[in-house]
Every structure is written in structure tokens, then in C-alpha cells.
Amino acid sequence: MPSILHPQTFPPSYLYRMLQPILFALLLVAAFGFFTWQVRKIRANILVGRDRDMSGHAAERFQKTLLVAFGQQKMFKRMTPALLHLVVYVGFLVINIEVLEIVVDGLFGTHRFLSFLGPVYSLLMATNEVLGALVIIAVAAFWWRRNRKPPLKRFSGPELRAWPKMDANIILYVEVILMVALFTMNTSDLKLHQLRGENLPGAFPISSLLMGLLPANAGMLEIMERVGWWAHITGILLFLNYLPSSKHFHIIMAFPNVWYSRLVPQGQFSNVESITNEVKAMMDPSFVVPPAPTAPDGSALAPTPFGAKDVDDLPWTNLLNAYSCTECGRCTSVCPANLTGKLLSPRKIIMDTRDRMEEKYNSPLIFRPNLYGEEAKHEPITDLMEATLLRGKVTPEELWACTTCNACVESCPVNINPLESIIEMRRFLVLEESAAPNSLNVMFSNIENNGAPWAFSPSDRFNWADDLFAVEKAVKVAVS
Amino acid sequence: MTVLDNPSFMTPEAPTKKQINVPVMADLAARNESPEILFWVGCAGAFDDRYKRVTRAFVRILDHVGTKYAVLGLEESCTGDPAKRAGNEFLFQMQAMQNITTLNGYGIKKIVTACPHCFNTIKNEYPALGGDYEVIHHSTYLQQLINEGKVGVTGGESFKGRRITFHDSCYLGRANNIYEAPRDVLAALDADLVEMKRSRANGLCCGAGGAQMWKEAEPGKKEINIERTEEALATLSGKADALANLTGVETETSAPGPHDLQGSIIAVSCPFCMTMMSDGVKNKEQESKVQVFDLAELVASAEGINA
């Protein structure tokens, strides 16, 4: 097995070779341990949501996940961001093959253990390098779209200040740092081998251009190679543990979120089973209302409200939605209410849902909602009774501005459904608080009394057919 | 059009008018008959003066092609759509179960409606409450009649060369993925069809869905129907720069050439879109030039059966 460091140029390398596997193993265990701990908190947050059976239809779900999540089908409605995103996405997938190599090298003291693949290894390294360079370009473009004055419209808005704005930039900076570490590692390794007159396995189209920038000093190059190697893998593991606090968590959550997306037509709103039972009992006295669900010990459960006041009233899929959102704002940019200056922003409702979960239940390692500080999108809530999702974060004015047009649902690249949450909160306002706008209450009573949403007499319903004349015309017979 | 193509050449007398007595389901049931389709009129189709004209046009078409149809008449009641979108699930289910009782009582199998909201509600939300029917929106039904050759869209008003843009209804389009049927119907008119930038799955709502029809809009900069009407008018007149000024339009496709608005048509397939787009055209003071029509009105008019 080739040694990592050359003993003549780097005397303490024996000690290093002894320590590296131990340090590396500790780092891996700590990183994955922390990540698991954070993911369990988030899983618990999602599971406070109401039950909803999303089992079955595996073939259809698989196909949807393949197209929408893996294939990024919905991203391609907007070409420029789709191509930029594709570069970073493919870069993420391919460069992670190299992470596998780094893990093996780190634990077993090998150097570039995948190099036995020969020409395949050359192809892999060359692809990595080209993608790495493209990622830096794409990230620069992303940064410009967000930070130019004024930024792209969907990257502004009241919900995208403070932490969400900083979060977006942190992600971009980290991605550049990771790529710089990768190129430092490759370039110094390449130059080191060249100095020694050896041949480094693999092909490095970008690093071979960068070699001139590095000193022709073997000791320095060895250190730089190791620094690049450690920086790349440590950066990735730190980034992994940053994800649960970040919108960037979508790189993981997009997949389960698409898998569990609704398969029914977008116009179909959920049915409220408990109301169905009540209405059936009213219309048919012989109907037996099924017994209310009980706790495992047989005691009665507290009745659940109609609709949603807080995050635990929403179906768990809507909470999963909140953790899958990368705050891209496609939903808000096509929302007719938002476009015409109303307060409603579908993205804000999804972000509020995640903030509220972390305020009420578990917070991940880094981010806590109070990090919004003075630039918070909400006035700080002092009355804790009012600190629910509805009113505490989402105002009725936002909810009543929705036309239920499904543009937000259609636009989301990872199948998030803000409309469902809006309707659940409207249900709470109407059924639990009788807090509909007055004009809607008038509409309700018209339906109750006249069977129509307008104040017309039901006896006039068939007047349209009076004095209905048509021109007599023979039906066209198709000539065969 | 040559003289031989003109049906009036074959029957030189003035066209004869006939009265249509719309068949009511209760009467059919009393005679132990069942219709091929039930025409669900909807509240707007029954009460809104503008949309009553659409209902009447569609009935003329049904009568003309000889479909055995019926309506519920006074037995029809609101599907509950506005209540459900506004969050009043209780009222929705009361309405739904009442209607399902009526429909199931008559053994209805197939329903056609000219309202995308009724269509969506009956098709997607009634099954969970015991109402399973084949539900067809009138745009699909008209498309079938044209494809089968039962409606030739000839013999009446010619739309050849008239500029028409179709405004997608959310509850037909995104809600139920019906984009082509209304366009196929319009294509049969041989008109000059132009597409708005925001069309099909990217169509912009007229502003009336989700029970907005019955309330004032929340405070904002603009009414949604004005935003949409501006887009429609800019598309019809081929003013590309006007289009570029609209908010939210990110895609750049070639705009149609400059065109006089006179005689242009905004085609709709929904009673609420009809109201919102008509109001928008009036707000822009273009009602003398641009008309808003439903698909059924255009077809009946092209077929020459309006009286």
C-alpha cells in the first residue's frame, strides 16, 4: 500500500500515520452521531402532526420520486436556475463518490484507494474537477442573483431577511470553500508527484492548470495536500450537521417529501371524516356514529379541533413540507395575491410552520427561531397563549387573500402544498372561531337558506329555461 | 365560403325558430325514463344574468345534437364549493350529502356541467361522501361533439381570423389538468388563437376562486382581475412591451404581432372567470372592442343555433 506521506520530506509522518485513522474515526463517529441526534429531533417534530395514511401506491410514488426529485422535472420550467441548479446537484452526487474514497483512505491509511479502477478513476477524477469548477461558477451566479441590488424578485420579501438571508449565503460560501479544498488537495498532490518524477493516477484537467500557483517545495506541498484533504472532508461533515438548521436540508428531505406527495387531483381538498359522521347522523337518525378514538389505555382523548390552529393540528405531511422547503420562492412569485400586493406569501406560511415547530418543540443544533433577532418577520409574541401558528405567525389577512388557485402547489419543485395548510387554518377560523369575514358569513347563510351563494329565491332557480328558443337546424350528418 | 357550403342555400326560407322545453329529471323519472347525461347547471348558470346566456347556449347545443339530457331544475342546490374553499366544511358536507341523495335517488351516472367549480367538487370531493359519477366539464363535452362531427361549427357566425385568447380556469386547469379540450374547441372555430404568457399550468387566476367571488379583496396594490385583463388585452393587441411590464412574467416567448383590438375575444370556461374578465375589460374601457365569451356561446353561435 502506498504511504500517504513521503518519510524524507515530512519527518513526523510516522506519528501522523499512526494518528490519522484514530482522529478520522472519531471525527466520523462524532459527525454522524450529531447528525442522527438532530434528525431524530426533526423526525419527532414532524410526527407531532396529525395522522394521515400515505401508504400504498408504491409504483406511482416511485415514479414520481424518480421524475420530480431525482430528475428535477419541475425545475425545468425556468431554464436558467434549472441549469445552474443541475450543475450543483450533479456535482454533489458525483463528488460524493470521492468522499467514499476519502473515508476509506482516512480509516485505512491508503492513498487514493479507488485508483485501482484505472481509466474509470481517471474519468471520475476528471469529471469531478470539471464539475467542481462549474459548481464554483454556478454558486457565483446564485450569489449574484441573491445579493445584487436589487436582487431577483423572489429572493426579496419580508420573510427573506435576517437568518434566512444569511443562511442562503452561508450555503453558497461553504460550497465554494469545499471546492477550493478539493482543488488544493488535487493540485498539491499532482505537483508533489511531478516534483518526485512520479505519476499520480487519475486525470486532473483543472488542477494541472493550477499547479503553477503552488510552491515547488515538497514539504509545503505535502502539508497543503493534507490540509486540503482534511478541509474537504471536515467541511462536508460540518455542513452535514449544519443542514438540520438550514433550508439546505432540502437536499435530503426533498426525496421523502416527493415520495409522500398527494396523488389525487390538485383540486381535491381533503375530507373531514369527523364532520362526515356528524352530518350523516343529522341526515339519517339510524346512522351509528363510530366511537371516538381512545388512548392506548382506553381513556378518552381530548377532542381535536376542526382545522388547524397550531402545527400539531396539521397533517404530518404538511410538517414534512416545512422541512423540505429551500425557500426558493417560486410559490410566492406565481401567487396571484402576492403579485397584486396582498400580504399572502405561500413561502412564508411554510417557513412559519418550521419556525413554529422549532419554537414549540425541538430545535436543531445551531438554529433557533429567536436568531431572527431584530429583523424578525414577526413582532415578538409576548402572550404565549397567542403564540400559535395561526395568529402568532400567520395572520387571518394572509389566509383570506388566497384564491385557492393551486399556482403555488404547481410551481413547487419538491411538491410542497401550501394550499392545504391555508385551508386547514381557514377551517379553524370558520368552524372553531366563527371568524370568517362578514361577507363570507352572508354567503354561508345564503347557501343554507337559498341553496345558492347569492341571495336569490330558490324558486327562481329554473327561470333561465323560460322562453328558450333555438334555430331549427338539421343535425349535420357525416358523409362517409 | 362558397354558395354550396352555405346551408341556407339549401333552405332559402328564413330559419325556423323552435322553443326548447328543458327536460326536468323529476318528469323523466315519473315516466320511468333515464337521461344519457344530467346537465348540472350550477348557481351561476341558474341565477347570474350573464352566465344564464351560457346555460341557454349549452342547452341549445344539447338539443341540437339530440342528446338525451335532463336537468334537476328546482331540485338542484349549491355543490358547496364556495363553502368548502372558505373553510366551512360542515356546510359543504350538508350541501354535498343533500345533492348526493338527490342524484343517487335518480340513479344518475353521468354529469356534464359548465362550471369548473361544480365539476371539481362533484368529480373529486363527492366520492368520499357516497357520490360516484362520471363528471365531464362542458369544454370536454363540446370537444367530443366536435370530434364526432355532431357539431360542425359552421352555418352561423364565422370566427375565421378573429383573434381569441383563452383564459385558463384554475379549477379546470391546475386542479384537474384539463388544458387541451377548451383549446381544441376554439381551434375548430378557425380563429386566430393567441396564448397569454401565463397560460395552461402557468395560468394566472382571475381572482375569484377560493370564495373570493363573495368578498372584497384584501388590501393590496391591484385587483387580480385587472392584472389578468391587462395581460389578456396586451396579448390580443400584440403589445409585447406591455406584456413585459407585467409582474411575475419571467418567460420570454415571441409575442403576436400588433393587432387592432376591435372584434377580439377573451374566451373563458368558468362563470367566475366570466365575471372577473368582463369586469376587467369594462375597467379598462375596452368593452366596445373586446368581448368575453364562454366556449358554449362561441360554439352555439358558430353553429348558428342561437335564436
Side-chain angles (χ1 to χ4, degrees):
Chain A
M1 236 171 243
S3 83
I4 310 167
L5 297 173
H6 216 275
Q8 283 109 46
T9 50
F10 197 11
S13 69
Y14 178 74
L15 181 65
Y16 177 83
R17 280 209 304 274
M18 291 284 291
L19 282 176
Q20 179 186 290
I22 300 164
L23 288 172
F24 192 80
L26 284 175
L27 178 70
L28 273 189
V29 169
F32 281 98
F34 262 136
F35 183 68
T36 312
W37 179 70
Q38 296 199 77
V39 166
R40 288 169 65 101
K41 284 180 156 200
I42 286 170
R43 185 169 183 275
N45 282 4
I46 292 170
L47 292 179
V48 304
R50 281 191 187 163
D51 270 352
R52 167 184 252 187
D53 185 10
M54 291 305 243
S55 58
H57 305 280
E60 200 181 338
R61 293 189 184 284
F62 181 76
Q63 194 192 9
K64 209 164 200 162
T65 308
L66 215 57
L67 278 175
V68 176
F70 285 97
Q72 310 204 346
Q73 187 188 40
K74 290 173 88 179
M75 284 294 287
F76 280 87
K77 287 181 183 172
R78 300 188 193 195
M79 239 348 148
T80 313
L83 292 174
L84 293 172
H85 185 266
L86 185 70
V87 165
V88 180
Y89 169 66
V90 175
F92 167 74
L93 290 182
V94 178
I95 293 171
N96 274 348
I97 301 175
E98 191 168 351
V99 172
L100 184 77
E101 180 182 52
I102 291 181
V103 170
V104 174
D105 286 349
L107 289 175
F108 301 103
T110 49
H111 188 65
R112 295 188 181 267
F113 104 100
L114 281 179
S115 56
F116 71 88
L117 294 171
V120 178
Y121 188 71
S122 295
L123 184 68
L124 181 68
M125 288 300 111
T127 314
N128 268 354
E129 289 235 319
V130 172
L131 279 172
L134 288 174
V135 165
I136 292 176
I137 294 168
V139 166
F142 280 147
W143 187 90
W144 175 245
R145 288 158 69 88
R146 281 180 183 272
N147 292 282
R148 70 183 194 211
K149 301 266 181 284
L152 213 67
K153 196 159 179 297
R154 65 187 164 92
F155 297 133
S156 57
E159 69 270 28
L160 226 58
R161 294 186 302 228
W163 169 254
K165 186 175 188 236
M166 201 209 299
D167 181 27
N169 282 334
I170 290 173
I171 295 159
L172 297 178
Y173 300 144
V174 170
E175 278 167 356
V176 171
I177 290 169
L178 291 179
M179 292 307 110
V180 169
L182 181 76
F183 283 122
T184 308
M185 176 181 96
N186 282 352
T187 311
S188 46
D189 205 9
L190 200 60
K191 187 147 184 169
L192 195 59
H193 279 74
Q194 196 190 47
L195 278 183
R196 296 195 184 118
E198 291 165 6
N199 205 6
L200 180 66
F204 302 90
I206 308 290
S207 291
S208 50
L209 299 175
L210 298 173
M211 275 198 297
L213 298 173
L214 298 187
N217 175 324
M220 285 286 283
L221 289 173
E222 284 208 337
I223 293 170
M224 286 183 77
E225 194 274 339
R226 283 296 93 185
V227 168
W229 186 88
W230 275 105
H232 189 62
I233 188 65
T234 313
I236 284 172
L237 294 174
L238 285 175
F239 202 34
L240 181 73
N241 277 285
Y242 176 71
L243 294 185
S245 303
S246 164
K247 77 189 191 81
H248 209 51
F249 205 32
H250 83 284
I251 64 172
I252 294 169
M253 300 303 272
F255 299 92
N257 195 65
V258 172
W259 177 271
Y260 288 115
S261 50
R262 278 159 37 109
L263 302 172
V264 296
Q266 282 176 178
Q268 180 177 331
F269 288 16
S270 65
N271 189 53
V272 183
E273 207 71 43
S274 54
I275 291 179
T276 309
N277 291 332
E278 278 189 48
V279 174
K280 275 185 181 161
M282 275 176 65
M283 294 183 75
D284 174 10
S286 65
F287 178 78
V288 182
V289 178
T294 50
D297 62 0
S299 63
L301 288 170
T304 50
F306 296 126
K309 184 184 192 183
D310 212 344
V311 282
D312 48 328
D313 299 325
L314 287 170
W316 66 271
T317 47
N318 295 38
L319 305 184
L320 178 64
N321 279 179
Y323 278 109
S324 315
C325 176
T326 192
E327 300 163 13
C328 72
R330 281 170 175 74
C331 51
T332 295
S333 78
V334 294
C335 172
N338 191 278
L339 281 172
T340 53
K342 278 87 176 177
L343 212 52
L344 173 63
S345 162
R347 168 174 62 188
K348 176 181 169 290
I349 294 192
I350 298 298
M351 292 169 68
D352 284 344
T353 306
R354 182 168 174 176
D355 290 352
R356 175 62 188 152
M357 273 189 280
E358 295 175 352
E359 180 183 86
K360 188 174 182 182
Y361 302 102
N362 302 302
S363 291
L365 202 55
I366 300 164
F367 170 69
R368 282 172 183 75
N370 58 14
L371 280 185
Y372 281 117
E374 287 190 354
E375 276 190 278
K377 55 194 187 306
H378 313 283
E379 293 296 313
I381 300 282
T382 43
D383 180 358
L384 284 178
M385 289 299 286
E386 286 292 307
T388 50
L389 178 64
L390 176 61
R391 297 191 201 278
K393 298 204 184 293
V394 180
T395 57
E397 183 180 334
E398 291 162 62
L399 300 171
W400 291 119
C402 175
T403 70
T404 70
C405 77
N406 262 308
C408 55
V409 182
E410 183 83 35
S411 72
C412 180
V414 297
N415 285 359
I416 291 169
N417 192 326
L419 178 53
E420 271 203 320
S421 301
I422 291 172
I423 292 301
E424 288 293 350
M425 285 185 269
R426 278 189 178 183
R427 283 176 180 165
F428 188 89
L429 285 172
V430 171
L431 298 171
E432 296 284 347
E433 296 188 333
S434 301
N438 200 38
S439 47
L440 289 187
N441 285 328
V442 171
M443 180 264 283
F444 295 153
S445 59
N446 280 331
I447 294 180
E448 280 166 30
N449 299 324
N450 315 325
W454 294 284
F456 290 107
S457 165
S459 58
D460 291 341
R461 184 175 273 276
F462 199 30
N463 290 359
W464 62 265
D466 295 347
D467 303 319
L468 176 53
F469 290 92
V471 170
E472 182 96 70
K473 192 184 162 194
V475 177
K476 195 179 166 185
V477 181
V479 183
S480 53
Chain B
M1 190 188 266
T2 71
V3 74
L4 283 170
D5 291 330
N6 187 347
S8 61
F9 174 77
M10 311 300 288
T11 49
E13 320 85 69
T16 49
K17 267 189 176 184
K18 64 163 180 179
Q19 184 160 12
I20 300 175
N21 292 311
V22 181
V24 180
M25 199 51 232
D27 299 340
L28 264 75
R31 297 197 300 267
N32 227 350
E33 289 174 31
S34 56
E36 191 187 317
I37 61 164
L38 180 90
F39 172 36
W40 184 274
V41 178
C43 300
F47 291 117
D48 180 271
D49 279 338
R50 178 66 189 84
Y51 221 66
K52 276 197 254 181
R53 281 157 51 194
V54 176
T55 305
R56 289 160 73 93
F58 189 61
V59 162
R60 286 187 185 106
I61 296 167
L62 289 174
D63 180 83
H64 169 59
V65 299
T67 310
K68 189 162 186 195
Y69 72 101
V71 298
L72 287 177
L74 296 178
E75 285 187 280
E76 197 182 287
S77 190
C78 173
T79 60
D81 161 80
K84 187 167 178 104
R85 310 304 142 198
N88 196 338
E89 184 71 11
F90 198 88
L91 179 56
F92 160 71
Q93 293 202 11
M94 295 285 291
Q95 287 300 117
M97 291 212 199
Q98 181 192 333
N99 284 322
I100 289 168
T101 306
T102 309
L103 292 166
N104 289 355
Y106 288 128
I108 299 297
K109 300 271 181 292
K110 190 170 173 181
I111 298 172
V112 177
T113 178
C115 172
H117 293 259
C118 299
F119 165 71
N120 176 68
T121 305
I122 302 175
K123 173 177 165 285
N124 296 324
E125 291 164 353
Y126 276 22
L129 303 169
D132 281 292
Y133 320 100
E134 183 191 349
V135 191
I136 303 171
H137 184 254
H138 79 317
S139 58
T140 309
Y141 191 74
L142 291 171
Q143 179 199 29
Q144 287 168 6
L145 292 180
I146 292 169
N147 288 349
E148 289 164 7
K150 288 183 180 162
V151 169
V153 280
T154 51
E157 189 180 353
S158 169
F159 292 93
K160 194 173 168 60
R162 298 258 314 256
R163 190 160 270 200
I164 302 183
T165 191
F166 177 68
H167 162 78
D168 285 277
S169 149
C170 305
Y171 275 81
L172 198 60
R174 279 186 294 269
N176 289 292
N177 280 316
I178 297 176
Y179 300 112
E180 300 312 320
R183 288 178 168 81
D184 285 357
V185 170
L186 292 173
L189 298 174
D190 205 11
D192 174 17
L193 279 184
V194 287
E195 286 285 357
M196 287 184 261
K197 278 188 180 169
R198 288 179 283 196
S199 65
R200 291 192 170 85
N202 300 322
L204 181 74
C205 175
C206 70
Q212 298 294 336
M213 186 74 195
W214 291 273
K215 59 184 271 299
E216 288 301 315
E218 272 52 41
K221 294 184 305 224
K222 200 178 190 180
E223 294 289 339
I224 296 170
N225 68 323
I226 302 300
E227 168 88 8
R228 186 54 162 173
T229 307
E230 285 172 357
E231 184 176 11
L233 294 177
T235 307
L236 288 168
S237 63
K239 282 183 186 146
D241 50 339
L243 274 172
N245 286 333
L246 287 165
T247 44
V249 178
E250 282 194 13
T251 51
E252 285 294 328
T253 52
S254 59
H259 195 274
D260 184 13
L261 274 182
Q262 189 64 49
S264 298
I265 293 168
I266 298 172
V268 295
S269 60
C270 167
F272 305 153
C273 299
M274 170 71 87
T275 302
M276 298 308 265
M277 298 309 285
S278 303
D279 286 355
V281 171
K282 276 184 208 127
N283 179 284
K284 292 277 150 189
E285 296 176 344
Q286 296 295 333
E287 68 268 35
S288 62
K289 292 182 173 174
V290 179
Q291 285 167 293
V292 185
F293 283 123
D294 178 86
L295 299 172
E297 292 178 296
L298 294 171
V299 168
S301 170
E303 190 72 1
I305 53 173
N306 278 339

mmCIF file of all heavy atoms in Angstrom, chain A residues 37-49 319 323 357 361-362:
data_model
loop_
_atom_site.group_PDB
_atom_site.id
_atom_site.type_symbol
_atom_site.label_atom_id
_atom_site.label_comp_id
_atom_site.label_asym_id
_atom_site.label_seq_id
_atom_site.Cartn_x
_atom_site.Cartn_y
_atom_site.Cartn_z
ATOM 1 N N TRP A 37 -28.628 12.539 15.932
ATOM 2 C CA TRP A 37 -29.310 13.179 17.062
ATOM 3 C C TRP A 37 -30.227 14.305 16.573
ATOM 4 O O TRP A 37 -31.373 14.447 17.003
ATOM 5 C CB TRP A 37 -28.232 13.708 18.021
ATOM 6 C CG TRP A 37 -28.729 14.421 19.224
ATOM 7 C CD1 TRP A 37 -29.386 13.872 20.287
ATOM 8 C CD2 TRP A 37 -28.591 15.821 19.510
ATOM 9 N NE1 TRP A 37 -29.651 14.833 21.213
ATOM 10 C CE2 TRP A 37 -29.178 16.051 20.768
ATOM 11 C CE3 TRP A 37 -28.007 16.894 18.832
ATOM 12 C CZ2 TRP A 37 -29.206 17.305 21.356
ATOM 13 C CZ3 TRP A 37 -28.042 18.142 19.420
ATOM 14 C CH2 TRP A 37 -28.638 18.346 20.666
ATOM 15 N N GLN A 38 -29.729 15.093 15.632
ATOM 16 C CA GLN A 38 -30.534 16.203 15.108
ATOM 17 C C GLN A 38 -31.701 15.697 14.263
ATOM 18 O O GLN A 38 -32.809 16.218 14.350
ATOM 19 C CB GLN A 38 -29.653 17.122 14.250
ATOM 20 C CG GLN A 38 -28.555 17.794 15.031
ATOM 21 C CD GLN A 38 -28.027 19.006 14.272
ATOM 22 O OE1 GLN A 38 -28.665 20.048 14.252
ATOM 23 N NE2 GLN A 38 -26.879 18.871 13.637
ATOM 24 N N VAL A 39 -31.448 14.669 13.462
ATOM 25 C CA VAL A 39 -32.505 14.147 12.606
ATOM 26 C C VAL A 39 -33.637 13.552 13.453
ATOM 27 O O VAL A 39 -34.816 13.696 13.132
ATOM 28 C CB VAL A 39 -31.932 13.100 11.616
ATOM 29 C CG1 VAL A 39 -33.038 12.295 10.963
ATOM 30 C CG2 VAL A 39 -31.100 13.797 10.549
ATOM 31 N N ARG A 40 -33.253 12.929 14.570
ATOM 32 C CA ARG A 40 -34.294 12.370 15.445
ATOM 33 C C ARG A 40 -35.182 13.461 16.023
ATOM 34 O O ARG A 40 -36.396 13.278 16.162
ATOM 35 C CB ARG A 40 -33.663 11.552 16.564
ATOM 36 C CG ARG A 40 -33.090 10.224 16.069
ATOM 37 C CD ARG A 40 -32.262 9.581 17.141
ATOM 38 N NE ARG A 40 -33.079 9.196 18.291
ATOM 39 C CZ ARG A 40 -33.481 7.941 18.511
ATOM 40 N NH1 ARG A 40 -33.158 6.994 17.655
ATOM 41 N NH2 ARG A 40 -34.205 7.648 19.555
ATOM 42 N N LYS A 41 -34.589 14.602 16.347
ATOM 43 C CA LYS A 41 -35.393 15.723 16.845
ATOM 44 C C LYS A 41 -36.378 16.183 15.777
ATOM 45 O O LYS A 41 -37.545 16.462 16.060
ATOM 46 C CB LYS A 41 -34.481 16.909 17.176
ATOM 47 C CG LYS A 41 -33.707 16.754 18.462
ATOM 48 C CD LYS A 41 -32.861 18.004 18.646
ATOM 49 C CE LYS A 41 -32.530 18.219 20.105
ATOM 50 N NZ LYS A 41 -32.146 19.600 20.371
ATOM 51 N N ILE A 42 -35.882 16.271 14.555
ATOM 52 C CA ILE A 42 -36.739 16.748 13.468
ATOM 53 C C ILE A 42 -37.838 15.728 13.171
ATOM 54 O O ILE A 42 -38.997 16.089 12.965
ATOM 55 C CB ILE A 42 -35.882 17.062 12.224
ATOM 56 C CG1 ILE A 42 -35.118 18.356 12.491
ATOM 57 C CG2 ILE A 42 -36.731 17.159 10.981
ATOM 58 C CD1 ILE A 42 -34.071 18.690 11.482
ATOM 59 N N ARG A 43 -37.463 14.461 13.218
ATOM 60 C CA ARG A 43 -38.464 13.415 12.998
ATOM 61 C C ARG A 43 -39.572 13.537 14.044
ATOM 62 O O ARG A 43 -40.754 13.457 13.723
ATOM 63 C CB ARG A 43 -37.782 12.050 13.083
ATOM 64 C CG ARG A 43 -38.686 10.908 12.761
ATOM 65 C CD ARG A 43 -37.918 9.608 12.587
ATOM 66 N NE ARG A 43 -38.835 8.548 12.213
ATOM 67 C CZ ARG A 43 -39.530 7.826 13.082
ATOM 68 N NH1 ARG A 43 -39.377 8.053 14.378
ATOM 69 N NH2 ARG A 43 -40.353 6.897 12.670
ATOM 70 N N ALA A 44 -39.171 13.766 15.300
ATOM 71 C CA ALA A 44 -40.166 13.919 16.368
ATOM 72 C C ALA A 44 -41.054 15.134 16.095
ATOM 73 O O ALA A 44 -42.273 15.078 16.297
ATOM 74 C CB ALA A 44 -39.469 14.054 17.715
ATOM 75 N N ASN A 45 -40.468 16.213 15.605
ATOM 76 C CA ASN A 45 -41.266 17.405 15.270
ATOM 77 C C ASN A 45 -42.309 17.080 14.217
ATOM 78 O O ASN A 45 -43.461 17.501 14.312
ATOM 79 C CB ASN A 45 -40.355 18.518 14.740
ATOM 80 C CG ASN A 45 -39.611 19.241 15.842
ATOM 81 O OD1 ASN A 45 -39.716 18.877 17.012
ATOM 82 N ND2 ASN A 45 -38.843 20.248 15.470
ATOM 83 N N ILE A 46 -41.882 16.346 13.178
ATOM 84 C CA ILE A 46 -42.809 16.042 12.079
ATOM 85 C C ILE A 46 -43.934 15.144 12.584
ATOM 86 O O ILE A 46 -45.098 15.302 12.206
ATOM 87 C CB ILE A 46 -42.050 15.383 10.905
ATOM 88 C CG1 ILE A 46 -41.116 16.409 10.264
ATOM 89 C CG2 ILE A 46 -43.007 14.816 9.872
ATOM 90 C CD1 ILE A 46 -40.145 15.834 9.255
ATOM 91 N N LEU A 47 -43.585 14.241 13.496
ATOM 92 C CA LEU A 47 -44.599 13.274 13.948
ATOM 93 C C LEU A 47 -45.589 13.853 14.959
ATOM 94 O O LEU A 47 -46.529 13.168 15.343
ATOM 95 C CB LEU A 47 -43.919 12.021 14.506
ATOM 96 C CG LEU A 47 -43.194 11.196 13.416
ATOM 97 C CD1 LEU A 47 -42.527 9.981 14.024
ATOM 98 C CD2 LEU A 47 -44.141 10.784 12.298
ATOM 99 N N VAL A 48 -45.419 15.118 15.373
ATOM 100 C CA VAL A 48 -46.485 15.710 16.194
ATOM 101 C C VAL A 48 -47.704 16.008 15.335
ATOM 102 O O VAL A 48 -48.792 16.258 15.857
ATOM 103 C CB VAL A 48 -46.057 17.009 16.944
ATOM 104 C CG1 VAL A 48 -44.839 16.777 17.802
ATOM 105 C CG2 VAL A 48 -45.855 18.166 15.976
ATOM 106 N N GLY A 49 -47.534 15.988 14.011
ATOM 107 C CA GLY A 49 -48.657 16.271 13.114
ATOM 108 C C GLY A 49 -49.721 15.190 13.188
ATOM 109 O O GLY A 49 -49.500 14.099 13.696
ATOM 110 N N LEU A 319 -46.025 19.124 7.794
ATOM 111 C CA LEU A 319 -44.837 19.432 8.590
ATOM 112 C C LEU A 319 -43.588 18.945 7.863
ATOM 113 O O LEU A 319 -42.548 19.609 7.878
ATOM 114 C CB LEU A 319 -44.957 18.799 9.981
ATOM 115 C CG LEU A 319 -46.235 19.190 10.756
ATOM 116 C CD1 LEU A 319 -46.201 18.599 12.153
ATOM 117 C CD2 LEU A 319 -46.391 20.701 10.829
ATOM 118 N N TYR A 323 -39.967 21.113 6.325
ATOM 119 C CA TYR A 323 -38.547 20.782 6.389
ATOM 120 C C TYR A 323 -37.937 20.530 5.005
ATOM 121 O O TYR A 323 -36.738 20.335 4.882
ATOM 122 C CB TYR A 323 -38.319 19.562 7.288
ATOM 123 C CG TYR A 323 -38.290 19.935 8.748
ATOM 124 C CD1 TYR A 323 -39.321 19.595 9.605
ATOM 125 C CD2 TYR A 323 -37.208 20.650 9.260
ATOM 126 C CE1 TYR A 323 -39.290 19.961 10.946
ATOM 127 C CE2 TYR A 323 -37.162 21.014 10.592
ATOM 128 C CZ TYR A 323 -38.206 20.674 11.433
ATOM 129 O OH TYR A 323 -38.159 21.045 12.748
ATOM 130 N N MET A 357 -42.619 24.968 14.724
ATOM 131 C CA MET A 357 -42.289 23.629 15.245
ATOM 132 C C MET A 357 -41.073 23.723 16.156
ATOM 133 O O MET A 357 -41.017 23.089 17.206
ATOM 134 C CB MET A 357 -41.971 22.677 14.088
ATOM 135 C CG MET A 357 -43.180 22.005 13.513
ATOM 136 S SD MET A 357 -42.691 20.718 12.356
ATOM 137 C CE MET A 357 -42.322 21.667 10.904
ATOM 138 N N TYR A 361 -41.417 22.826 19.875
ATOM 139 C CA TYR A 361 -40.870 21.502 20.185
ATOM 140 C C TYR A 361 -39.352 21.537 20.166
ATOM 141 O O TYR A 361 -38.745 22.294 20.911
ATOM 142 C CB TYR A 361 -41.444 20.460 19.223
ATOM 143 C CG TYR A 361 -42.951 20.402 19.276
ATOM 144 C CD1 TYR A 361 -43.731 21.002 18.285
ATOM 145 C CD2 TYR A 361 -43.608 19.794 20.349
ATOM 146 C CE1 TYR A 361 -45.119 20.976 18.358
ATOM 147 C CE2 TYR A 361 -44.996 19.772 20.425
ATOM 148 C CZ TYR A 361 -45.743 20.359 19.428
ATOM 149 O OH TYR A 361 -47.110 20.345 19.495
ATOM 150 N N ASN A 362 -38.724 20.719 19.308
ATOM 151 C CA ASN A 362 -37.266 20.610 19.325
ATOM 152 C C ASN A 362 -36.603 21.579 18.358
ATOM 153 O O ASN A 362 -37.063 21.765 17.251
ATOM 154 C CB ASN A 362 -36.852 19.204 18.880
ATOM 155 C CG ASN A 362 -37.460 18.155 19.778
ATOM 156 O OD1 ASN A 362 -37.248 18.165 20.981
ATOM 157 N ND2 ASN A 362 -38.230 17.255 19.189
#
